[in-house]
Amino acid sequence: MLTPARLSPADCVRVGGFGLRSRPVRVLLSALGIAIGIAAMVSVVGISSSSRAELDRTLARLGTNLLTATPGQSLDGGTAKLPEEAMDMIGRIEGAESATAIGTIDGVKTYRTDKIPKAQSNGITAAGARQDLLKSVGATMARGNWLNEATGEYPVTVLGATTAQLLGVTEPGPDTRVWLGGQWFTVAGILAPVPLAPELDTAALVGWDAARKYLGFDGHPTLVYTRAAEKSVGRVRELIGPTANPADPTTVKVSRPSDALVAQQAGDKAFTGLLLGLGGVALLVGGIGVANTMVISVLERRGEVGLRRSLGATRSQVCMQFLTESLLLSAIGGGAGVVIGSAVTAAYAATQGWPVVVPPWVMGGGVGSTLMIGGVAGLYPAVRAAGLAPTVALAAT
């Protein structure tokens, strides 16, 4: 009996690699199609993961134990008011670590100069602020100084990050003034953006006493910030309403700003799913390119197939050769896609100041999915090549 020719796995790889090297341009284009799909998937997941890592880092720095209390609607449909002593009362709740407040002053506008028309206020709000506000909300100064016991009693203001941009104020100091409430206020500082208290970004903050003296502030807080012990957040949240306004607790709205960031993260996940779908479509197109390349390769190499069969190659060995070519082509595209996607993630995260996070599962899954698609795409051409009779294949040459 004749002994079938033997083809080791290493021989399969060498023969498959030779088949790819003989058609470099076509192989490059097919691999590029797969690489684009994998790069899209890796970069989408990587950028999304980096964004979530930055959000988690921000929440860890700012804390998720910040609660806010604002006045709701009264029984007659109007806007209720928090009592003047609401902040002090909330601060006495067991489990509350600190409490501070701001009080928005209605009708007070802020302008860069007194020459600007009153209608062009840019939505900037004026508010009285407690001196311990920064610590409670986790805010920091971008430039200048925060209000203290001295400046908190005089016409001095600290601008939010967005407010400073709208007014064109870049450097605070004794010579920098804004027209606030019909009089000049010196700009002592500019806040950095406050993720858990975005209302501060569009505000011009003055001392609590200065707000009463110069702007007609009535002393009622419009937003109370409370830091609670991590284990007591739920209990403190339930007690804020009855404590802030015992006469009518239902008029007090209590929220947790970090929940909004978590909801934003959930929205980002949904958007990521959409982009992954687009990446999957690109990957499918790349798989079709692999199938097309392999089918054409079989048609062009019928003489080679016939010669190999005549020299003793079995059907399974011919099938394995073409299937190996398809897998190698897919592996090249998948590997290149992972590298490109990781590089895009790193570059984008670096520009945003985020940590670079590319989950290992997406890199392994990217290469694995390309091998799977390559195997499926190359199976039919491989079976077709193996089914060619030697005499027919040689006659086609």
Side-chain angles (χ1 to χ4, degrees):
M1 295 179 61
L2 295 176
T3 302
R6 299 182 62 183
L7 193 64
S8 66
D11 293 332
C12 285
V13 174
R14 282 195 294 269
V15 173
F18 176 80
L20 295 181
R21 290 195 301 271
S22 63
R23 304 177 310 282
V25 176
R26 189 179 301 162
V27 168
L28 176 63
L29 294 177
S30 298
L32 182 61
I34 292 181
I36 291 174
I38 292 299
M41 296 177 65
V42 172
S43 59
V44 165
V45 176
I47 292 174
S48 178
S49 299
S50 299
S51 175
R52 293 193 198 105
E54 174 63 17
L55 177 59
D56 293 339
R57 187 169 68 175
T58 300
L59 289 176
R61 183 177 70 251
L62 299 177
T64 58
N65 59 338
L66 179 66
L67 302 171
T68 61
T70 56
Q73 287 188 336
S74 59
L75 294 177
D76 59 3
T79 302
K81 285 188 176 183
L82 294 176
E84 293 187 37
E85 61 275 9
M87 184 196 70
D88 295 330
M89 295 170 66
I90 292 174
R92 297 191 184 101
I93 297 176
E94 183 179 358
E97 297 178 341
S98 64
T100 188
I102 63 171
T104 303
I105 310 168
D106 295 332
V108 175
K109 306 297 183 181
T110 305
Y111 306 93
R112 187 65 179 90
T113 71
D114 57 348
K115 308 300 182 182
I116 298 176
K118 293 183 178 180
Q120 299 179 9
S121 61
N122 287 322
I124 299 171
T125 59
R130 295 286 188 175
Q131 294 177 19
D132 56 355
L133 178 66
L134 293 190
K135 181 179 179 181
S136 294
V137 301
T140 57
M141 299 298 300
R143 297 180 184 85
N145 302 304
W146 177 243
L147 301 169
N148 53 42
E149 293 184 1
T151 57
E153 295 183 359
Y154 293 96
V156 175
T157 182
V158 172
L159 304 179
T162 304
T163 299
Q165 292 178 357
L166 292 174
L167 296 179
V169 176
T170 57
E171 291 296 335
D175 298 329
T176 305
R177 300 187 301 171
V178 294
W179 187 251
L180 199 162
Q183 53 191 305
W184 292 107
F185 273 67
T186 301
V187 179
I190 299 173
L191 287 175
V194 189
L196 293 185
E199 61 277 353
L200 299 180
D201 295 341
T202 56
L205 304 171
V206 301
W208 201 266
D209 294 334
R212 286 178 179 270
K213 182 177 179 181
Y214 298 101
L215 303 176
F217 177 46
D218 61 6
H220 289 275
T222 56
L223 204 160
V224 178
Y225 302 94
T226 306
R227 284 283 182 185
E230 291 289 349
K231 297 181 180 179
S232 306
V233 171
R235 180 175 177 274
V236 173
R237 188 175 188 176
E238 294 176 355
L239 294 176
I240 285 179
T243 304
N245 192 355
D248 194 359
T250 59
T251 62
V252 181
K253 296 190 298 184
V254 183
S255 63
R256 191 174 182 177
S258 57
D259 290 342
L261 296 181
V262 174
Q264 179 185 1
Q265 184 179 18
D268 291 341
K269 289 182 179 180
F271 186 65
T272 299
L274 173 62
L275 294 181
L276 281 177
L278 296 177
V281 172
L283 186 59
L284 178 61
V285 173
I288 294 174
V290 172
N292 181 60
T293 298
M294 297 310 300
V295 169
I296 294 177
S297 177
V298 171
L299 295 176
E300 291 179 345
R301 298 162 63 190
R302 296 178 69 179
E304 175 190 338
V305 173
L307 181 60
R308 292 199 60 212
R309 291 294 311 280
S310 300
L311 295 176
T314 63
R315 292 177 182 270
S316 61
Q317 290 171 348
V318 173
C319 180
M320 184 60 65
Q321 173 191 347
F322 282 88
L323 190 59
T324 300
E325 287 187 26
S326 178
L327 292 175
L328 287 175
L329 178 57
S330 299
I332 293 171
V338 169
V339 173
I340 295 172
S342 300
V344 170
T345 299
Y348 186 81
T351 59
Q352 300 296 318
W354 297 347
V356 179
V357 179
V358 180
W361 65 264
V362 74
M363 293 188 289
V367 176
S369 61
T370 55
L371 291 177
M372 181 181 67
I373 290 178
V376 173
L379 185 60
Y380 169 71
V383 172
R384 181 173 179 177
L388 293 174
T391 54
V392 175
L394 288 171
T397 62

